């Protein structure tokens, strides 16, 4: 996860959602997918706050936001916290 401020993964979230919407139509109510992003004062929209992207990005940094500890373990955080790397836990043999 790139958690480096203005150009981080949360800042790119509407664009990521537009890409997903081009394949899985119906994810966005409007063409710009602004319903999946940050609002004023740095508050996430409901759909962003429910997303894996937000949970991994804000895990342990935003009060009340935690990634599922049974599925994700942070294995590296850069010196200033701009890069966070997670190990995916409990991967089924079937999905490998």
């Amino acid at each position: 996860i790139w958690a480096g401020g203005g150009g981080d993964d949360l800042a790119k979230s509407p664009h990521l959602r537009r890409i997903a919407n081009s394949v899985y139509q119906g994810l966005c109510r409007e063409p710009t997918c602004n319903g999946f992003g940050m609002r004023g004062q740095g508050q996430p929209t409901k759909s962003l706050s429910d997303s894996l992207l937000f949970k991994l990005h804000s895990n342990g940094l935003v009060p009340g936001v935690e990634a599922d500890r049974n599925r994700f373990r942070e294995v590296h955080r850069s010196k200033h916290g701009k890069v966070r790397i997670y190990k995916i836990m409990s991967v089924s043999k079937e999905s490998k």
Side-chain angles (χ1 to χ4, degrees):
I1 295 288
W2 174 250
D8 68 7
D9 287 342
L10 289 186
K12 296 176 184 122
S13 59
H15 181 64
L16 297 171
R17 187 69 169 246
R18 283 193 299 273
I19 293 169
N21 192 56
S22 72
V23 177
Y24 304 102
Q25 296 175 0
L27 294 174
C28 301
R29 293 182 183 168
E30 79 289 334
T32 59
C33 295
N34 284 329
F36 188 74
M38 300 298 281
R39 294 181 289 214
Q41 271 112 29
Q43 296 299 314
T45 60
K46 171 78 168 110
S47 60
L48 181 60
S49 68
D50 291 340
S51 72
L52 176 61
L53 172 66
F54 184 76
K55 287 182 169 79
L56 294 178
H57 178 282
S58 303
N59 181 38
L61 301 176
V62 174
V65 178
E66 290 188 14
D68 184 342
R69 293 180 185 191
N70 295 317
R71 297 184 184 259
F72 302 98
R73 181 175 55 145
E74 186 175 330
V75 295
H76 176 76
R77 185 183 301 193
S78 64
K79 181 179 178 181
H80 300 290
K82 294 189 176 214
V83 175
R84 302 177 82 180
I85 298 173
Y86 289 87
K87 179 178 181 177
I88 300 171
M89 311 299 289
S90 304
V91 178
S92 72
K93 290 180 182 181
E94 182 181 332
S95 69
K96 287 184 180 183

